[in-house]
Amino acid sequence: MKKSTRPATYGLMAEFDDPSAVVAAAQKVYDEGYRSIDAYSPYPIEALSEAIGVHSTRMPLLVLIGGILGLIGGYAMQYYTHAIDYPIIVGGRPFHSWPSFIPITFETTVLGASLAAVFGMLALNGLPEPYHPVFNTPNFALASRDRFFIVIEAVDPKFDRDATAEFLRGLGSREVIDVEH
Amino acid sequence: MDTTSYNLPPAAERWQTRALIIGVVALVITAVIAFFSGSLTHSGEAGVAQGEAAAAAHGSTTFLAQFFRSYLVGFLFVTGISVGSLAILMLQHLSGGSWGLVIRRILEASTRTMPLLALMFIPIIFGIHSLYEWSHAEAVAADPILKHKSLYLNVPFFIGRAVFYFVVWGALAYFLNKWSREQDHTGDPRVKRQMQNLSGPGILLFGLTVTFAAVDWGMSLEPHWFSTIYGMLVMAAWGLTAMAFTITALVVLSRHDPMSHVYAPSHFHDLGKLLLAFVMIYAYFSFSQFLIIWSGDLPEETSWYLRRLRGGWELIGLAVVILHFALPFVLLLSRDVKRNARRLVLVALLVLVARVVDWIYLIAPASHQTEGHEQSLWPMLLLDFTTMFAATVGLGGIWLWFFLRQLRQQPLLPIGAPDLDKVLAAATTSQH
């Protein structure tokens, strides 16, 4: 049965006061071998993502592909309409007037790249997500103000309720709490 | 904080001497090549351009014409580093941010070379008749358009305007440097405000002076032709030159103690983004000019491009599109290239070389009569590239010598700036 394999809690959450402490702690958590981890901070801290092992994402590639599709699509659209489907002489210029195609090609490139960025971001990070267990902890609202959090999920093979809690307390956190499902 | 710990590394003494030697040697080489080419083209060699023949008729030899054109290319390139740095310096005073703090001392040292540049302008005054058609009274008398423009395009006013530009740039540089030194000693927060207040109007003055300087020094080489975006083009060109030079200087410093502990990948990342922005804005201005003139297809405007799309110049134009835009653009899209100092400096050096090629493309064809000379232009082109690159290295070397002398005078970080500790923090967190 599915229920029986599910851990009793979602995981353990450690709370920190300042950014350098949370980065140092996150690094130790990662070095200890935990992989099902996440960190929360009121503003982006690049070193924090690095510390929990998020080195690169597929986002840049997606955006590049979106941009290239926009570039080809924009130019092809203009070529088709101006040179093939409905050729009109404008100011004595050739039907395939590449210089005047460039501005629109640039715009469609930007459009393709930004659409790929928005929808690729949503696809990769799983948003919108109406429910997440971390919000069950009382202090978590402070993650959008002045607190920093590290969560080790119970599904991690190295996770052990007591040993992990002890380990997290040793990293200089204010508090370590269980996260309910 | 120990102020002595942010000094130029001892190796800089050697760089300084080398830069001066290379600079002087390159200038001598420019003069020698120009001299021999002058006697070659004089004796009826194919490739004598009509403009030069006209110049010779006005009493100046082709040797002088070739030398001064090359000198002008070098001068415009080197001036770009200083004036562009002045603009970026004012920009970072207005915008803030740690990218500005780490490069501020390099920018300031660049702006302090303004007196040297004013000195370097003097040969252009002597070469004015070799360079500018409108400076000849007979040419103006015979040409109704030049006559009409002579109220603006005349020798005394030309010199007067140049003096004005250097006074404005020099004054802005003087006060920004003076106050920055004050900030080092006192740490007074009011000084920051003062620098901001000057930088706002300063950017405006920069825009106006550079537009007029671009028209005077570059556009008036072909006095019949006009383009309203030319000033913006030169602003972007100079900003790009300054950015690429500053990144190069920063990377060189980052390989030596003590600055190797200060700069973090995030700093290079920001500067790489700015370099990309400058690469794009220059391409944007340059293409806008082309698109509008191509669409309008009016004879008084297209002449400029016709001269640059014939006799081998079309290939140089293509090289500019690739080296100055396509290649740096694609490389700078990558996050890794921007964050890695070693790779970023290669892109910056590529941009600097591309800037010289582009200046040659903008300046040199002005005096070539390309119609009907399609085959014979290649030796001329080769000659242009040799002397113009040599002149750029020459003036660049002398400039670099003076720049390093300036850079030595102050700590390499603005130690009195209120938010300096944030910069240093970036370096320590990145070491995890």
Side-chain angles (χ1 to χ4, degrees), chain B residues 85-241:
Chain B
S85 293
L86 180 63
I88 298 173
L89 179 64
M90 294 190 286
L91 201 68
Q92 68 85 30
H93 278 311
L94 290 171
S95 73
S98 62
W99 66 271
L101 283 180
V102 293
I103 60 171
R104 201 164 105 189
R105 281 290 133 91
I106 301 174
L107 296 173
E108 285 172 353
S110 292
T111 62
R112 287 202 300 277
T113 61
M114 223 54 94
L116 177 73
L117 290 171
L119 218 63
M120 282 177 172
F121 185 75
I122 293 172
I124 292 180
I125 297 176
F126 285 107
I128 199 162
H129 293 297
S130 306
L131 285 167
Y132 301 103
E133 192 190 341
W134 51 259
S135 66
H136 299 281
E138 321 88 84
V140 174
D143 190 328
I145 295 179
L146 289 191
K147 211 186 244 169
H148 195 70
K149 291 187 177 181
S150 64
L151 195 64
Y152 182 83
L153 287 180
N154 60 69
V155 176
F157 195 24
F158 177 86
I159 297 170
R161 285 194 303 268
V163 170
F164 176 73
Y165 308 145
F166 279 112
V167 167
V168 170
W169 298 335
L172 286 171
Y174 173 78
F175 284 110
L176 290 175
N177 276 288
K178 180 171 172 265
W179 291 338
S180 184
R181 251 195 320 274
E182 244 171 68
Q183 195 185 40
D184 270 11
H185 294 143
T186 61
D188 189 349
R190 271 175 309 177
V191 178
K192 187 181 170 184
R193 189 91 219 145
Q194 222 172 356
M195 291 193 281
Q196 280 176 340
N197 288 343
L198 180 66
S199 295
I203 292 257
L204 207 68
L205 275 174
F206 160 82
L208 288 171
T209 48
V210 173
T211 301
F212 281 95
V215 170
D216 288 1
W217 300 342
M219 199 161 95
S220 82
L221 286 167
E222 286 150 280
H224 283 200
W225 181 76
F226 51 88
S227 162
T228 46
I229 209 169
Y230 198 86
M232 308 283 276
L233 201 65
V234 172
M235 270 183 238
W238 284 359
L240 178 61
T241 318

Side-chain angles (χ1 to χ4, degrees), chain B residues 48-61:
Chain B
V48 182
Q50 198 184 316
E52 284 182 73
H58 293 302
S60 48
T61 63

Side-chain angles (χ1 to χ4, degrees), chain B residues 98 102 259-267 413 420-432:
Chain B
S98 62
V102 293
M259 303 316 279
S260 47
H261 303 299
V262 174
Y263 305 138
S266 64
H267 298 139
L413 282 175
L420 185 69
D421 37 335
K422 270 190 230 157
V423 176
L424 301 171
T428 40
T429 47
S430 72
Q431 265 150 26
H432 284 289

Side-chain angles (χ1 to χ4, degrees), chain A residues 20 23-24 27 46-47 50 55 64 91 93-94 97-103 106, chain B residues 265-266 269 280 284 287 290-291 294-297 329 333 335-336 339 429-430 432:
Chain A
S20 47
V23 173
Q27 190 64 52
E46 231 168 296
E50 295 274 328
H55 293 295
L64 181 68
R93 289 191 282 275
S97 292
W98 68 266
S100 49
F101 291 179
I102 300 290
F106 174 75
Chain B
S266 64
H269 195 185
M280 287 176 72
Y284 167 71
F287 180 75
F290 175 73
L291 178 64
W294 180 86
S295 302
D297 201 17
F329 174 77
L333 282 181
R335 187 170 180 270
D336 292 338
R339 292 179 71 87
T429 47
S430 72
H432 284 289

Side-chain angles (χ1 to χ4, degrees), chain B residues 13-32:
Chain B
E13 205 113 18
R14 258 180 302 138
W15 307 338
Q16 204 172 310
T17 332
R18 269 186 219 160
L20 185 64
I21 293 170
I22 291 174
V24 172
V25 168
L27 264 192
V28 171
I29 290 175
T30 313
V32 168

